[in-house]
Amino acid sequence: MPLVAGSVAALACVIVGVLVVVGVRGRVEDYDRQQTTTAALRIIQMIKRDRLPGQLPPTEGIEAAEVLDARGRVVSATRDLIGKPPIASFVPGEDTVSAYRVLCPPHGLHGCMDVIAFRVFQPDGDWTVYAAERAGPWYASGPLLAFLLATGLLVVLLTVVLTRRTVDRTLAPVNAIRSELAEITATESARRVPVPPVKDEIRHLAETANSTLDRLDAALERQRRFTSDASHDLRSPIAGARTQLEEALLYPDQADWPRVAQNVLVSLDRLNAIVTDLLALARLDASSEAGDDEVDLALLVSTELARAVRDTHTLTDLDQGVVVRGDRLQLARLLTNLLTNAERHAASRIWVSVAAEGDDAVLTVTDDGAGIPPQDRELVFQRFVRLRESRDRDPTGTGLGLPIAREIARSHGGTLTLADSEQGARFVLRLPRVRPVKGRGTR
């Protein structure tokens, strides 16, 4: 790429240089020729008025001038040409009054000059006036053009070489990053790309790549831990059912088959609950988009509380018209999981509230149980994690209810956290609120 860019730049430099110098030179030549012509016409005016002196005075626009009579003799000239032969021998054609030449040099002068010849009609024959001026200034000369082009090409070539070295040196860390990324696999996710010492965009790229790899590594670690925990939790009911069946089959005549069947059904129910929750988590992980239903949280809470008979007394404080947008079934699942968790740990009462706070819809579920220590508040949202009290109160739980609730909140653009409470655990759900449109009721 630097070579191609350099070639294009060199070609553009040559073209622009030629056009500029040719244009400047043409304008300068036109101006000089006009000045020389004007000076020659002044001399012709002297001839016509019969006021031609033997020595022509200095005239602006020319460096030297001569007047030749009809016999070709010099009858008048500027001081430098007094007593010298004619500076040129060309004359205008029969059908023109002027002619123009570049002489290098004219007779009796030095250097290249623009010489113009005028035919002057006189009674004794045609006279000739020669006027000479230096051929163009230094900045419009051909050698200068060649020098400038050569210098420009040299500069472009040096720029190409330096640019190529700079690009190679700049891209070296990128190649190192690319090579390291190509070597990173799921089994070697702890590797990181090298970070250049210079604080530039490449360093920022490497740091961003390493941050992304850190997150991916953490996600892989969670996946490995999740797979391990899921395997353990799935094996437990299967192993329990298998053990009971094998014991019964060893002594089939002595086995209490109805009791064995009942115990196996309990294990199958636990297995079914785990599989159902795993499928729910898999669907939430695979889809980041929620539904588009407008859900009134107060109505949702009232419906869910009326749908199931609960052993714990539930108190409500529900503001009407607090509406969110999402999947009604998923939000109902979230609320059910929170209520089930609160009922499991409550001593006697559960409080459920719905309120609007600015742009947020806030739903809280609080129980009057023992509560959750601050250091364990994030732990309960990890998959298959169950605190000792939870295992003691409900040994058949899956440890996936709260993680599912948080994933549903996340997919709806909200948060589910544990907040401080004077007694028990207080779960706070915040979701973006849909503001009612004026002149239109809210469902």
Side-chain angles (χ1 to χ4, degrees), residues 354-437:
V354 171
E357 294 183 5
D359 293 332
D360 292 338
V362 182
L363 183 150
T364 62
V365 177
T366 309
D367 61 69
D368 60 350
I372 300 175
Q375 66 271 17
D376 293 334
R377 289 181 179 177
E378 282 300 314
L379 195 63
V380 297
F381 291 107
Q382 294 184 14
R383 301 175 183 186
F384 292 109
V385 172
R386 305 185 68 202
L387 302 181
R388 175 175 297 178
E389 183 186 358
S390 178
R391 290 195 299 269
D392 293 340
R393 286 179 172 269
D394 184 12
T396 62
T398 64
L400 294 174
L402 292 179
I404 289 175
R406 172 168 277 190
E407 286 299 318
I408 293 175
R410 181 195 58 78
S411 67
H412 284 72
T415 60
L416 176 61
T417 58
L418 266 167
D420 294 333
S421 177
E422 294 181 358
Q423 183 180 7
R426 181 170 177 259
F427 288 86
V428 180
L429 170 68
R430 289 183 178 273
L431 296 174
R433 183 165 69 98
V434 177
R435 292 187 177 274
V437 179

Side-chain angles (χ1 to χ4, degrees), residues 29 102 117 167 243 411 421 442:
E29 287 180 349
V102 177
V167 169
T243 299
S411 67
S421 177
T442 304

Side-chain angles (χ1 to χ4, degrees), residues 290-298 319-328 331 354-362 412-414 430-438 440-443:
D292 197 35
D293 301 329
E294 288 190 1
V295 182
D296 189 315
L297 290 183
D319 290 349
Q320 301 299 318
V322 180
V323 180
V324 298
R325 193 180 303 280
D327 188 307
R328 188 183 303 275
L331 292 174
V354 171
E357 294 183 5
D359 293 332
D360 292 338
V362 182
H412 284 72
R430 289 183 178 273
L431 296 174
R433 183 165 69 98
V434 177
R435 292 187 177 274
V437 179
K438 292 184 179 180
R440 173 184 164 190
T442 304
R443 295 196 280 133

Side-chain angles (χ1 to χ4, degrees), residues 152-369:
L153 289 175
L154 181 61
V155 170
V156 169
L157 290 176
L158 290 175
T159 303
V160 169
V161 173
L162 294 177
T163 302
R164 179 60 182 270
R165 293 183 60 185
T166 303
V167 169
D168 290 343
R169 197 162 46 243
T170 303
L171 293 181
V174 177
N175 291 329
I177 294 172
R178 179 190 58 79
S179 301
E180 189 65 25
L181 285 174
E183 296 294 329
I184 295 175
T185 62
T187 57
E188 296 183 358
S189 59
R191 299 177 62 170
R192 296 294 179 265
V193 301
V195 178
V198 181
K199 292 185 177 181
D200 56 7
E201 288 76 7
I202 305 298
R203 181 187 178 93
H204 296 159
L205 173 63
E207 291 174 344
T208 303
N210 283 336
S211 298
T212 303
L213 290 172
D214 288 339
R215 293 193 296 271
L216 290 176
D217 196 28
L220 286 173
E221 181 59 31
R222 287 195 301 269
Q223 184 181 23
R224 296 188 192 101
R225 188 167 56 248
F226 173 76
T227 304
S228 175
D229 294 341
S231 301
H232 177 270
D233 277 51
L234 287 172
R235 281 197 302 267
S236 296
I238 295 174
R242 182 182 180 89
T243 299
Q244 295 181 55
L245 288 174
E246 287 177 347
E247 289 178 354
L249 288 175
L250 285 175
Y251 307 99
D253 296 336
Q254 302 177 13
D256 184 356
W257 287 103
R259 184 179 61 82
V260 171
Q262 186 65 34
N263 292 336
V264 171
L265 282 176
V266 172
S267 297
L268 290 177
D269 288 340
R270 173 171 167 75
L271 184 62
N272 181 69
I274 294 175
V275 171
T276 300
D277 286 347
L278 285 175
L279 290 175
L281 279 174
R283 284 192 294 268
L284 289 172
D285 289 340
S287 176
S288 60
E289 296 183 359
D292 197 35
D293 301 329
E294 288 190 1
V295 182
D296 189 315
L297 290 183
L299 180 60
L300 180 68
V301 171
S302 300
T303 302
E304 292 303 315
L305 290 177
R307 180 173 299 172
V309 178
R310 300 186 180 275
D311 297 332
T312 306
H313 184 56
T314 303
L315 301 176
T316 60
D317 181 12
L318 309 177
D319 290 349
Q320 301 299 318
V322 180
V323 180
V324 298
R325 193 180 303 280
D327 188 307
R328 188 183 303 275
L329 293 178
Q330 288 188 9
L331 292 174
R333 175 71 181 275
L334 185 156
L335 176 61
T336 301
N337 288 2
L338 292 181
L339 291 173
T340 301
N341 180 78
E343 188 175 16
R344 181 184 300 125
H345 297 280
S348 60
R349 294 180 184 275
I350 298 174
W351 292 269
V352 181
S353 68
V354 171
E357 294 183 5
D359 293 332
D360 292 338
V362 182
L363 183 150
T364 62
V365 177
T366 309
D367 61 69
D368 60 350

